[in-house]
Amino acid sequence: MKRFLTVLLLVLALTACASNESAPATDTTAEPEAVFDLDAYKSAVSECRTAINNAGLIIANVGSYEVNFCKSMNNINENTGWGSYTIETEDVAESGFAWLEEKTDYTRETVDTSYSEIQQQYKEIILTEIEGAEAKEIDAAFRELYDAYTTLYSLVTTPSGLPQDFAKEILACANTMTDSDEALALFLDES
């Protein structure tokens, strides 16, 4: 009987070793799949949305000043409304940011710094793997808000073309930002 138990234990041990050798090894160090956190996503988008709206307001004010500056320059040059005055980028941008610095606590440097920070926030948010219809709606409106903001920033920091076209482009960006922000409000603002 002892011999039978010894043989049985030996067979069981060999069977256990054989099954362990053929079974694939499991990686216990692998990280579990990340689960999409809608509340964290909404929080990150809300924070960036606030930064975009604040920075966008400043840039829009500079743009408004630049439009008025161009109109004044045109009136001086042509005295016929918009006429054919072409924007000289350096003069208009310098004038706009000089006005900003004179009237507020902001400078060209603070505007550029905000822009860089918003770019980084946007990049981190966009790289998030989202799930669900609500997140997709937020994503679409958020991308539209960001695109309008970056276009506005580019227009104001490097103005060019005819003043009336410049004014229309600034207004279009401001309107898109407003519409996108209202779309985001549906999902991000608490009632």
Side-chain angles (χ1 to χ4, degrees), residues 65-126:
Y65 177 85
E66 290 175 347
V67 167
N68 289 330
F69 177 83
C70 291
K71 193 170 184 179
S72 296
M73 291 302 294
N74 191 63
N75 285 336
I76 291 169
N77 290 334
E78 303 252 346
N79 208 15
T80 60
W82 283 109
S84 61
Y85 172 73
T86 302
I87 295 172
E88 300 294 329
T89 301
E90 297 81 25
D91 293 343
V92 175
E94 282 180 27
S95 179
F97 283 102
W99 170 83
L100 179 69
E101 196 168 331
E102 180 183 313
K103 299 292 182 185
T104 69
D105 293 333
Y106 298 99
T107 65
R108 171 71 185 254
E109 185 178 312
T110 59
V111 168
D112 291 343
T113 299
S114 291
Y115 181 76
S116 295
E117 290 170 354
I118 289 168
Q119 280 183 313
Q120 186 58 39
Q121 283 179 300
Y122 177 79
K123 178 182 169 185
E124 291 170 8
I125 292 167
I126 291 306

Coordinates of all heavy atoms in Angstrom, one line a residue, residues 65-126:
Y65 N -9.1 95.8 -30.8 CA -8.2 97.0 -30.9 C -7.5 97.1 -32.2 O -7.4 98.1 -32.9 CB -7.2 97.0 -29.7 CG -6.3 98.2 -29.9 CD1 -6.7 99.5 -29.3 CD2 -5.1 98.2 -30.5 CE1 -5.9 100.6 -29.5 CE2 -4.3 99.3 -30.7 CZ -4.7 100.5 -30.1 OH -3.9 101.6 -30.3
E66 N -7.0 95.9 -32.7 CA -6.3 95.9 -34.0 C -7.2 96.3 -35.1 O -6.7 97.0 -36.0 CB -5.6 94.5 -34.2 CG -4.5 94.2 -33.2 CD -4.0 92.8 -33.3 OE1 -4.6 91.9 -34.0 OE2 -2.9 92.5 -32.8
V67 N -8.4 95.8 -35.1 CA -9.4 96.2 -36.2 C -9.6 97.7 -36.2 O -9.5 98.3 -37.2 CB -10.7 95.4 -36.0 CG1 -11.8 96.0 -36.9 CG2 -10.6 94.0 -36.3
N68 N -9.8 98.3 -35.0 CA -9.9 99.7 -34.9 C -8.7 100.5 -35.3 O -8.8 101.5 -36.0 CB -10.3 100.1 -33.5 CG -11.7 99.7 -33.1 OD1 -12.6 99.6 -34.0 ND2 -12.0 99.4 -31.9
F69 N -7.5 99.9 -35.0 CA -6.3 100.5 -35.4 C -6.2 100.5 -36.9 O -5.8 101.5 -37.5 CB -5.1 99.7 -34.8 CG -3.7 100.2 -35.2 CD1 -3.1 101.3 -34.6 CD2 -3.1 99.6 -36.3 CE1 -1.9 101.7 -35.0 CE2 -1.8 100.0 -36.7 CZ -1.2 101.1 -36.0
C70 N -6.5 99.4 -37.5 CA -6.5 99.3 -39.0 C -7.4 100.3 -39.7 O -7.1 100.9 -40.7 CB -6.8 97.9 -39.5 SG -5.5 96.7 -39.0
K71 N -8.6 100.4 -39.1 CA -9.6 101.3 -39.6 C -9.1 102.7 -39.5 O -9.3 103.5 -40.5 CB -10.9 101.1 -38.9 CG -12.1 101.8 -39.5 CD -13.4 101.4 -38.9 CE -14.6 102.0 -39.7 NZ -15.8 101.6 -39.1
S72 N -8.5 103.1 -38.4 CA -7.9 104.4 -38.2 C -6.9 104.7 -39.3 O -6.8 105.7 -39.9 CB -7.4 104.6 -36.8 OG -8.4 104.5 -35.9
M73 N -6.0 103.7 -39.4 CA -4.9 103.8 -40.4 C -5.5 104.0 -41.8 O -5.0 104.8 -42.6 CB -4.0 102.7 -40.4 CG -3.1 102.6 -39.1 SD -2.1 104.0 -38.8 CE -1.0 104.0 -40.1
N74 N -6.5 103.3 -42.1 CA -7.1 103.4 -43.4 C -7.8 104.7 -43.6 O -7.7 105.3 -44.7 CB -8.2 102.3 -43.6 CG -8.6 102.2 -45.1 OD1 -7.8 101.9 -45.9 ND2 -9.8 102.5 -45.4
N75 N -8.5 105.2 -42.6 CA -9.1 106.5 -42.7 C -8.0 107.6 -42.9 O -8.3 108.6 -43.6 CB -9.9 106.8 -41.5 CG -11.2 106.1 -41.5 OD1 -11.7 105.7 -42.5 ND2 -11.8 105.8 -40.3
I76 N -6.9 107.5 -42.2 CA -5.8 108.4 -42.4 C -5.3 108.4 -43.8 O -5.1 109.4 -44.5 CB -4.7 108.2 -41.4 CG1 -5.2 108.5 -40.0 CG2 -3.4 109.0 -41.7 CD1 -4.2 108.0 -38.9
N77 N -5.1 107.2 -44.3 CA -4.6 107.0 -45.7 C -5.5 107.3 -46.8 O -5.2 107.8 -47.8 CB -4.0 105.5 -45.8 CG -2.8 105.3 -45.0 OD1 -2.1 106.2 -44.7 ND2 -2.6 104.0 -44.6
E78 N -6.8 106.9 -46.7 CA -7.7 106.9 -47.8 C -8.9 107.8 -47.5 O -9.5 108.3 -48.4 CB -8.2 105.5 -48.1 CG -7.1 104.6 -48.4 CD -7.0 104.3 -49.9 OE1 -8.0 104.6 -50.6 OE2 -6.0 103.7 -50.3
N79 N -9.3 107.9 -46.2 CA -10.4 108.7 -45.8 C -11.7 108.3 -46.5 O -12.6 109.1 -46.8 CB -10.2 110.2 -46.0 CG -11.0 111.1 -45.0 OD1 -11.5 110.5 -44.0 ND2 -11.1 112.3 -45.3
T80 N -11.8 107.0 -46.8 CA -13.0 106.4 -47.5 C -13.5 105.1 -46.9 O -13.8 104.2 -47.6 CB -12.6 106.1 -49.0 OG1 -11.6 105.2 -49.0 CG2 -12.3 107.4 -49.8
G81 N -13.5 105.1 -45.6 CA -13.9 103.8 -45.0 C -12.8 102.8 -45.0 O -11.7 103.2 -44.7
W82 N -13.1 101.5 -45.3 CA -12.0 100.5 -45.3 C -11.0 100.7 -46.4 O -9.8 100.5 -46.2 CB -12.6 99.1 -45.4 CG -13.2 98.6 -44.1 CD1 -14.6 98.5 -43.9 CD2 -12.6 98.2 -42.9 NE1 -14.8 98.0 -42.7 CE2 -13.6 97.8 -42.0 CE3 -11.3 98.2 -42.5 CZ2 -13.3 97.4 -40.7 CZ3 -11.0 97.7 -41.2 CH2 -12.0 97.4 -40.4
G83 N -11.4 101.1 -47.5 CA -10.5 101.3 -48.6 C -9.6 100.1 -48.9 O -10.0 99.0 -48.8
S84 N -8.3 100.4 -49.2 CA -7.4 99.3 -49.6 C -6.2 99.2 -48.7 O -5.2 98.6 -49.1 CB -7.0 99.5 -51.1 OG -6.3 100.8 -51.1
Y85 N -6.3 99.7 -47.5 CA -5.2 99.6 -46.6 C -4.9 98.1 -46.3 O -5.8 97.4 -46.0 CB -5.5 100.3 -45.3 CG -4.5 100.1 -44.2 CD1 -3.2 100.7 -44.2 CD2 -4.7 99.3 -43.1 CE1 -2.3 100.5 -43.2 CE2 -3.8 99.1 -42.1 CZ -2.6 99.7 -42.2 OH -1.7 99.5 -41.2
T86 N -3.6 97.7 -46.5 CA -3.2 96.4 -46.2 C -2.5 96.4 -44.8 O -1.7 97.2 -44.6 CB -2.3 95.8 -47.3 OG1 -3.0 95.9 -48.5 CG2 -1.9 94.4 -47.0
I87 N -2.8 95.4 -44.0 CA -2.3 95.3 -42.7 C -0.8 95.1 -42.7 O -0.3 94.2 -43.4 CB -3.0 94.2 -41.9 CG1 -4.5 94.6 -41.7 CG2 -2.3 94.0 -40.5 CD1 -5.3 93.5 -41.1
E88 N -0.1 95.9 -42.0 CA 1.4 95.6 -41.7 C 1.5 94.9 -40.4 O 1.2 95.5 -39.3 CB 2.2 96.9 -41.7 CG 2.1 97.7 -43.0 CD 2.7 97.1 -44.1 OE1 3.7 96.3 -43.9 OE2 2.2 97.3 -45.3
T89 N 1.8 93.6 -40.4 CA 1.7 92.8 -39.3 C 2.4 93.3 -38.0 O 1.9 93.4 -37.0 CB 2.3 91.4 -39.6 OG1 1.6 90.8 -40.7 CG2 2.3 90.5 -38.4
E90 N 3.7 93.8 -38.2 CA 4.4 94.2 -37.1 C 3.8 95.5 -36.4 O 3.6 95.5 -35.2 CB 5.9 94.6 -37.5 CG 6.7 93.4 -38.0 CD 6.4 93.1 -39.4 OE1 6.0 94.0 -40.2 OE2 6.6 91.9 -39.8
D91 N 3.3 96.4 -37.2 CA 2.7 97.6 -36.7 C 1.4 97.3 -35.9 O 1.2 97.8 -34.8 CB 2.4 98.6 -37.8 CG 3.7 99.2 -38.4 OD1 4.8 99.1 -37.8 OD2 3.6 99.8 -39.5
V92 N 0.6 96.5 -36.5 CA -0.7 96.2 -35.9 C -0.6 95.4 -34.7 O -1.1 95.7 -33.6 CB -1.6 95.5 -37.0 CG1 -2.9 95.1 -36.3 CG2 -1.9 96.4 -38.2
A93 N 0.2 94.3 -34.7 CA 0.4 93.5 -33.6 C 1.1 94.2 -32.4 O 0.7 94.1 -31.3 CB 1.2 92.2 -33.9
E94 N 2.1 95.0 -32.7 CA 2.8 95.8 -31.7 C 1.8 96.8 -31.1 O 1.8 96.9 -29.8 CB 4.0 96.5 -32.3 CG 5.2 95.6 -32.5 CD 6.4 96.4 -33.1 OE1 6.4 97.6 -32.9 OE2 7.2 95.8 -33.8
S95 N 1.1 97.4 -31.9 CA 0.1 98.4 -31.4 C -0.9 97.7 -30.5 O -1.3 98.2 -29.4 CB -0.6 99.1 -32.5 OG -1.5 100.0 -32.0
G96 N -1.4 96.6 -30.9 CA -2.4 95.8 -30.1 C -1.9 95.4 -28.8 O -2.6 95.5 -27.7
F97 N -0.7 94.9 -28.7 CA -0.1 94.4 -27.5 C 0.3 95.5 -26.6 O 0.3 95.4 -25.4 CB 0.9 93.3 -27.7 CG 0.3 92.0 -28.1 CD1 0.3 91.5 -29.4 CD2 -0.3 91.2 -27.1 CE1 -0.3 90.3 -29.7 CE2 -0.9 90.0 -27.4 CZ -0.9 89.6 -28.7
A98 N 0.7 96.6 -27.2 CA 1.1 97.8 -26.4 C -0.2 98.3 -25.7 O -0.2 98.7 -24.5 CB 1.7 98.9 -27.3
W99 N -1.3 98.3 -26.4 CA -2.6 98.7 -25.8 C -2.9 97.8 -24.7 O -3.4 98.3 -23.6 CB -3.7 98.7 -26.9 CG -5.0 98.9 -26.4 CD1 -5.7 100.1 -26.0 CD2 -5.9 97.9 -26.0 NE1 -6.9 99.8 -25.5 CE2 -7.1 98.5 -25.5 CE3 -5.9 96.5 -26.1 CZ2 -8.2 97.7 -25.1 CZ3 -7.0 95.7 -25.7 CH2 -8.1 96.4 -25.2
L100 N -2.8 96.5 -24.9 CA -3.1 95.5 -23.9 C -2.3 95.7 -22.6 O -2.9 95.8 -21.5 CB -2.9 94.1 -24.4 CG -3.2 93.0 -23.4 CD1 -4.7 92.8 -23.1 CD2 -2.6 91.6 -23.9
E101 N -1.0 96.0 -22.8 CA -0.2 96.2 -21.6 C -0.5 97.5 -20.9 O -0.4 97.5 -19.7 CB 1.3 96.2 -22.1 CG 2.3 96.0 -21.0 CD 3.7 95.8 -21.5 OE1 3.9 95.2 -22.6 OE2 4.6 96.2 -20.7
E102 N -0.9 98.5 -21.6 CA -1.2 99.8 -21.0 C -2.6 99.7 -20.3 O -2.7 100.3 -19.2 CB -1.4 100.8 -22.2 CG -1.7 102.2 -21.7 CD -1.9 103.1 -22.9 OE1 -1.1 103.2 -23.8 OE2 -3.0 103.9 -22.9
K103 N -3.5 98.9 -20.8 CA -4.8 98.9 -20.2 C -5.1 97.8 -19.2 O -6.0 97.8 -18.4 CB -5.9 98.8 -21.3 CG -5.9 99.9 -22.3 CD -6.3 101.2 -21.6 CE -6.4 102.3 -22.6 NZ -6.7 103.6 -22.0
T104 N -4.2 96.7 -19.2 CA -4.4 95.6 -18.3 C -3.1 95.1 -17.7 O -2.1 95.8 -17.9 CB -5.0 94.4 -19.1 OG1 -4.0 93.9 -20.0 CG2 -6.2 94.8 -19.9
D105 N -3.2 94.0 -17.0 CA -2.0 93.4 -16.4 C -1.4 92.4 -17.3 O -0.5 91.7 -16.9 CB -2.4 92.8 -15.0 CG -2.8 93.8 -14.0 OD1 -2.3 94.9 -14.0 OD2 -3.5 93.4 -13.1
Y106 N -1.9 92.2 -18.5 CA -1.5 91.2 -19.4 C -0.4 91.8 -20.4 O -0.5 93.0 -20.7 CB -2.6 90.6 -20.2 CG -3.6 89.9 -19.4 CD1 -4.8 90.6 -19.0 CD2 -3.4 88.6 -18.9 CE1 -5.7 89.9 -18.1 CE2 -4.3 88.0 -18.1 CZ -5.4 88.6 -17.7 OH -6.3 88.0 -16.9
T107 N 0.4 91.0 -20.9 CA 1.4 91.3 -21.9 C 1.4 90.3 -23.0 O 0.8 89.3 -22.9 CB 2.8 91.4 -21.3 OG1 3.2 90.1 -20.9 CG2 2.9 92.3 -20.1
R108 N 2.2 90.6 -24.0 CA 2.4 89.6 -25.1 C 2.9 88.3 -24.5 O 2.5 87.2 -24.9 CB 3.3 90.2 -26.2 CG 3.7 89.2 -27.3 CD 2.5 88.9 -28.2 NE 2.8 87.9 -29.2 CZ 3.0 88.1 -30.4 NH1 3.0 89.3 -30.9 NH2 3.3 87.1 -31.2
E109 N 3.8 88.4 -23.6 CA 4.4 87.2 -23.0 C 3.4 86.4 -22.2 O 3.4 85.2 -22.3 CB 5.5 87.7 -22.0 CG 6.3 86.5 -21.4 CD 7.4 86.9 -20.5 OE1 8.2 87.8 -20.9 OE2 7.5 86.4 -19.4
T110 N 2.5 87.1 -21.4 CA 1.5 86.3 -20.7 C 0.5 85.6 -21.6 O 0.0 84.5 -21.4 CB 0.7 87.2 -19.7 OG1 0.1 88.3 -20.3 CG2 1.7 87.7 -18.6
V111 N 0.2 86.3 -22.8 CA -0.7 85.7 -23.8 C -0.1 84.5 -24.4 O -0.7 83.5 -24.5 CB -1.1 86.8 -24.8 CG1 -1.8 86.2 -26.0 CG2 -2.0 87.9 -24.2
D112 N 1.2 84.6 -24.7 CA 1.9 83.5 -25.3 C 2.1 82.3 -24.3 O 1.9 81.2 -24.7 CB 3.3 83.9 -25.8 CG 3.2 84.8 -27.0 OD1 2.2 84.9 -27.7 OD2 4.2 85.5 -27.3
T113 N 2.3 82.6 -23.1 CA 2.4 81.6 -22.0 C 1.1 80.9 -21.9 O 1.1 79.6 -21.8 CB 2.9 82.2 -20.7 OG1 4.2 82.8 -20.9 CG2 3.0 81.2 -19.6
S114 N 0.0 81.6 -21.8 CA -1.3 81.0 -21.7 C -1.6 80.1 -22.9 O -2.1 79.0 -22.7 CB -2.4 82.0 -21.6 OG -2.3 82.7 -20.4
Y115 N -1.2 80.5 -24.1 CA -1.4 79.7 -25.3 C -0.6 78.4 -25.2 O -1.2 77.3 -25.5 CB -0.9 80.5 -26.5 CG -1.1 79.8 -27.8 CD1 -2.3 79.7 -28.4 CD2 0.0 79.3 -28.5 CE1 -2.5 79.0 -29.6 CE2 -0.1 78.6 -29.7 CZ -1.4 78.5 -30.2 OH -1.5 77.8 -31.4
S116 N 0.6 78.5 -24.7 CA 1.4 77.2 -24.6 C 0.8 76.3 -23.6 O 0.8 75.1 -23.8 CB 2.9 77.6 -24.2 OG 3.5 78.3 -25.2
E117 N 0.4 76.8 -22.5 CA -0.2 76.0 -21.4 C -1.5 75.3 -21.9 O -1.8 74.2 -21.6 CB -0.5 76.8 -20.2 CG 0.8 77.3 -19.4 CD 0.5 78.3 -18.4 OE1 -0.6 78.8 -18.2 OE2 1.5 78.6 -17.7
I118 N -2.3 76.1 -22.6 CA -3.6 75.5 -23.2 C -3.3 74.4 -24.2 O -3.9 73.4 -24.2 CB -4.4 76.7 -23.8 CG1 -5.0 77.5 -22.7 CG2 -5.6 76.1 -24.7 CD1 -5.6 78.8 -23.1
Q119 N -2.3 74.6 -25.0 CA -1.9 73.6 -26.0 C -1.5 72.3 -25.3 O -1.9 71.2 -25.7 CB -0.6 74.0 -26.8 CG -0.9 75.0 -27.9 CD 0.4 75.3 -28.7 OE1 1.4 75.6 -28.1 NE2 0.3 75.2 -30.0
Q120 N -0.8 72.4 -24.2 CA -0.4 71.2 -23.4 C -1.6 70.5 -22.8 O -1.8 69.3 -22.8 CB 0.6 71.6 -22.3 CG 1.2 70.4 -21.6 CD 1.9 69.4 -22.5 OE1 2.5 69.7 -23.5 NE2 1.6 68.1 -22.3
Q121 N -2.5 71.3 -22.2 CA -3.7 70.8 -21.6 C -4.6 70.1 -22.7 O -5.0 68.9 -22.5 CB -4.6 71.9 -21.0 CG -4.2 72.4 -19.7 CD -5.1 73.5 -19.2 OE1 -5.2 74.5 -19.9 NE2 -5.7 73.3 -18.1
Y122 N -4.7 70.7 -23.8 CA -5.5 70.2 -24.9 C -4.9 68.8 -25.4 O -5.6 67.8 -25.6 CB -5.5 71.2 -26.1 CG -6.2 70.7 -27.3 CD1 -7.6 70.7 -27.4 CD2 -5.5 70.2 -28.4 CE1 -8.3 70.2 -28.5 CE2 -6.2 69.7 -29.6 CZ -7.6 69.7 -29.6 OH -8.2 69.3 -30.7
K123 N -3.6 68.8 -25.6 CA -2.9 67.6 -26.0 C -3.2 66.4 -25.1 O -3.5 65.3 -25.5 CB -1.4 67.8 -26.1 CG -0.6 66.6 -26.5 CD 0.9 67.0 -26.5 CE 1.7 65.8 -26.6 NZ 3.2 66.1 -26.5
E124 N -3.1 66.7 -23.8 CA -3.3 65.6 -22.8 C -4.8 65.1 -22.8 O -5.1 63.9 -22.7 CB -3.0 66.1 -21.4 CG -1.5 66.3 -21.2 CD -1.1 67.0 -19.9 OE1 -2.0 67.2 -19.0 OE2 0.1 67.3 -19.8
I125 N -5.7 66.0 -23.0 CA -7.1 65.7 -23.0 C -7.5 64.9 -24.3 O -8.2 63.9 -24.3 CB -8.0 66.9 -22.9 CG1 -7.9 67.5 -21.5 CG2 -9.5 66.6 -23.2 CD1 -8.4 68.9 -21.4
I126 N -7.0 65.3 -25.4 CA -7.3 64.7 -26.7 C -6.7 63.3 -26.8 O -7.3 62.4 -27.5 CB -6.8 65.6 -27.9 CG1 -7.6 66.9 -27.9 CG2 -6.8 64.9 -29.2 CD1 -9.1 66.7 -28.0

